[in-house]
Amino acid sequence: MAGPSVTSRALALLGAFDSDHRSLSLSDLARRANIPLATAHRLVGELHRWGALARSADGSYVIGRRIWQLGLLAPEQTGLRQAASPFMHDLYGATLATVHLAVRDGLQVLYVERLAGHVSVPVVSRVGSRLPMHATGVGKVLLAHAPDDVLAAALQNLTRVTAYTVTQPARLLDQLRRVRAEGYATTGEEMSLGACSVAVPVRAGADVVASLGIVVPDLRRQLPRLVSALRVAAQGIGRTMSGVAAAPPGVPG
Amino acid sequence: MAGPSVTSRALALLGAFDSDHRSLSLSDLARRANIPLATAHRLVGELHRWGALARSADGSYVIGRRIWQLGLLAPEQTGLRQAASPFMHDLYGATLATVHLAVRDGLQVLYVERLAGHVSVPVVSRVGSRLPMHATGVGKVLLAHAPDDVLAAALQNLTRVTAYTVTQPARLLDQLRRVRAEGYATTGEEMSLGACSVAVPVRAGADVVASLGIVVPDLRRQLPRLVSALRVAAQGIGRTMSGVAAAPPGVPG
DNA sequence: CGAACCCTTCCGTTCAGTGGAAGACCAGTA
DNA sequence: TACTGGTCTTCCACTGAACGGAAGGGTTCG
């Protein structure tokens, strides 16, 4: 029995939306956010009036324009995407593989951008979605460069996704040591069968701010070529990011 | 002396961010949202804990990941963008002009997607930003198909942007009648000098759900060709949109 | 016709949010 | 060193705004 603050309840309502629940009725919202219907009614009304929520044709609620607009102002995401976009296109051109850009979000990887080819390996990522770190290439890179407490916490919960997922802490630690030493991480069908991946860190200055990765059906033979292509792109992104900080707030084109 | 609800205050804090203020200190936030510092401190703390706000390197606040993620769930925007993306690329290929996709948001146009060439006409639009309806091509289209009360309200405030902006209600009404009749709208340096535009409605079923437009330095001679290219793209988008409704929620690639 | 869903409104109680005040922590300036 | 102007943070007694049970209206079922 907690003492729920008004704000946290409003946020809980927004948090009720996810990629599997883009549209929710008032009752759904109340249920998912654990809020009495009458209270939810009022809060949802306020959110709707402000534009955080919109009503779809059938009367149910969806995320509104205002939130979408705000989201575009998020510098970590939007800035990163803009800086990375051209390099990711180059990388796609060079490899014809699905290209991923991700950052660490707590104990998970958050996909910031994704470039998928027409004929692509089965990949479960989506822009804005999160996946466990230990089962993805970009995740291993980010974990390898994460603070100790994050690493410790992540090791507690190495959930199995496929038969090849690394679930032994010792084995993962060993891999992560290698990632730091070699400068890239790989996976082999650890997240979804038929999909292998390579990823490298994106550095702005000394910090690892993101990870760039590609997904291919098999990487045995071409690994060196892929790693070097990834490195070129990642360096380009990093350089752009560092430059962006000093650039003017945005000259209208 | 209003009775400010907690929620509205939290929203006011979020609303303090815009494209010119992507990063705000606590005091800035309190000032801009008209909230006592101590109260703002607590609310901002909650928003930060939830992930709606993040702290940038210098300690100031920026829009956080959580909001960015939520924004991606907004179906009106994300759905529209996805449906439109390929057609906008085609249109860009055919015209080599800056391509715009916009919806009506209250009395303004909200730019949902934008495709700019390397060498482009000076254009002030940005994805997620809003502009007055009467001075843009997409705006005129949306205004021409807006409900009467919106039209009436919009006519009240025809602000002048350039020397060519249409500021006389009667003249604008006349143009809008033509837009409805001809099926396209044009502007000539009404928003920014050196930029002309053509725009057509995007229809899903009977409703005008958006407007597709292009910006060029001069459209005298090539107008018919541009209009027909726009119509092809707009029809494609409309068809995709109508189809999307019946499609499965999203098969992971 | 009742049952089971939705959504909306009302209103007396109460406890969470409020915000003034005090103070810590920086700069800069004298 | 002390002063000034700007941040940010914490505390706590008061009070009025948020709360939510209950009641009512509108559906769509069988």
Side-chain angles (χ1 to χ4, degrees):
Chain A
M1 307 300 156
S5 81
V6 194
T7 311
S8 75
R9 289 189 147 184
L11 294 174
L13 284 170
L14 292 177
F17 292 92
D18 60 37
S19 47
D20 297 325
H21 301 88
R22 291 169 185 250
S23 171
L24 295 167
S25 73
L26 176 61
S27 320
D28 290 336
L29 276 164
R31 253 192 307 273
R32 287 173 63 87
N34 250 314
I35 295 176
L37 186 62
T39 304
H41 179 256
R42 186 166 26 85
L43 291 176
V44 165
E46 284 194 78
L47 291 170
H48 179 235
R49 221 166 303 125
W50 190 76
L53 297 179
R55 309 201 74 156
S56 59
D58 62 352
S60 66
Y61 292 92
V62 295
I63 296 293
R65 292 171 173 171
R66 202 77 183 261
I67 295 284
W68 177 76
Q69 286 183 61
L70 279 180
L72 292 174
L73 299 178
E76 282 191 56
Q77 282 62 239
T78 300
L80 198 51
R81 285 181 80 166
Q82 283 175 4
S85 181
F87 297 102
M88 290 179 72
H89 276 95
D90 292 349
L91 185 59
Y92 176 74
T95 61
L96 293 180
T98 299
V99 182
H100 282 154
L101 183 70
V103 298
R104 184 172 66 79
D105 187 24
L107 299 179
Q108 298 184 296
V109 258
L110 173 62
Y111 286 84
V112 170
E113 182 59 302
R114 178 192 158 181
L115 228 80
H118 297 280
V119 191
S120 59
V121 178
V123 173
V124 293
S125 66
R126 268 203 252 169
V127 172
S129 74
R130 278 173 272 142
L131 288 179
M133 285 201 279
H134 67 284
T136 63
V138 284
K140 283 184 189 173
V141 167
L142 293 169
L143 194 51
H145 296 276
D148 291 346
D149 56 335
V150 170
L151 178 57
L155 287 175
Q156 299 296 330
N157 194 16
L158 300 181
T159 50
R160 153 148 280 127
V161 186
T162 73
Y164 302 98
T165 309
V166 179
T167 55
Q168 300 164 16
R171 189 137 173 261
L172 184 61
L173 275 173
D174 193 59
Q175 289 192 356
L176 295 182
R177 216 172 303 124
R178 276 196 152 152
V179 170
R180 277 187 293 267
E182 316 267 0
Y184 67 88
T186 62
T187 63
E189 305 190 285
E190 296 165 33
M191 186 71 225
S192 67
L193 296 176
C196 300
S197 68
V198 208
V200 300
V202 176
R203 298 173 195 274
D207 301 330
V208 172
V209 293
S211 174
L212 184 70
I214 56 177
V215 181
V216 289
D218 164 55
L219 49 80
R220 221 163 297 260
R221 166 170 337 225
Q222 35 184 350
L223 185 60
R225 189 177 68 82
L226 296 178
V227 169
S228 86
L230 277 163
R231 284 205 177 118
V232 170
Q235 275 173 26
I237 298 172
R239 237 178 293 119
T240 307
M241 289 294 294
S242 310
V244 160
V251 182
Chain B
M1 307 300 155
S5 81
V6 195
T7 313
S8 74
R9 290 189 150 186
L11 294 173
L13 284 170
L14 293 177
F17 292 92
D18 60 38
S19 48
D20 297 324
H21 304 270
R22 290 168 186 251
S23 170
L24 295 168
S25 73
L26 176 60
S27 322
D28 289 337
L29 277 165
R31 253 192 306 274
R32 288 172 62 86
N34 249 315
I35 296 177
L37 188 62
T39 305
H41 180 257
R42 188 168 24 85
L43 291 176
V44 165
E46 284 196 76
L47 292 170
H48 179 237
R49 222 167 302 124
W50 190 76
L53 297 179
R55 308 202 76 154
S56 58
D58 62 352
S60 66
Y61 292 92
V62 295
I63 296 294
R65 292 171 172 171
R66 203 77 182 261
I67 296 282
W68 177 77
Q69 287 183 61
L70 278 181
L72 292 175
L73 299 177
E76 281 190 55
Q77 282 62 239
T78 299
L80 198 52
R81 284 181 81 166
Q82 282 176 4
S85 182
F87 298 101
M88 289 178 72
H89 275 94
D90 292 349
L91 185 59
Y92 176 74
T95 62
L96 293 180
T98 300
V99 182
H100 281 154
L101 183 71
V103 298
R104 184 172 66 78
D105 188 23
L107 299 179
Q108 298 184 294
V109 257
L110 173 62
Y111 286 83
V112 170
E113 182 59 302
R114 177 190 160 182
L115 229 80
H118 297 280
V119 191
S120 59
V121 178
V123 173
V124 293
S125 65
R126 267 203 253 169
V127 172
S129 73
R130 279 173 272 142
L131 288 180
M133 285 201 279
H134 67 284
T136 63
V138 284
K140 284 184 188 173
V141 167
L142 293 169
L143 195 51
H145 295 278
D148 291 346
D149 56 335
V150 170
L151 178 56
L155 287 174
Q156 300 295 330
N157 195 15
L158 301 180
T159 50
R160 150 149 284 125
V161 186
T162 72
Y164 302 99
T165 308
V166 179
T167 55
Q168 300 164 18
R171 188 137 173 263
L172 185 61
L173 275 172
D174 194 58
Q175 289 192 356
L176 296 182
R177 217 172 302 124
R178 275 195 154 155
V179 170
R180 276 187 293 267
E182 315 268 1
Y184 67 88
T186 62
T187 63
E189 305 190 285
E190 296 165 34
M191 186 70 224
S192 68
L193 296 176
C196 301
S197 67
V198 208
V200 300
V202 176
R203 297 172 195 274
D207 300 331
V208 172
V209 294
S211 175
L212 184 71
I214 56 176
V215 181
V216 289
D218 163 55
L219 48 79
R220 222 162 296 261
R221 168 170 336 227
Q222 35 183 350
L223 185 60
R225 190 177 68 81
L226 296 178
V227 169
S228 84
L230 277 163
R231 284 204 176 119
V232 170
Q235 276 172 26
I237 298 172
R239 236 178 292 119
T240 308
M241 288 294 294
S242 310
V244 160
V251 184

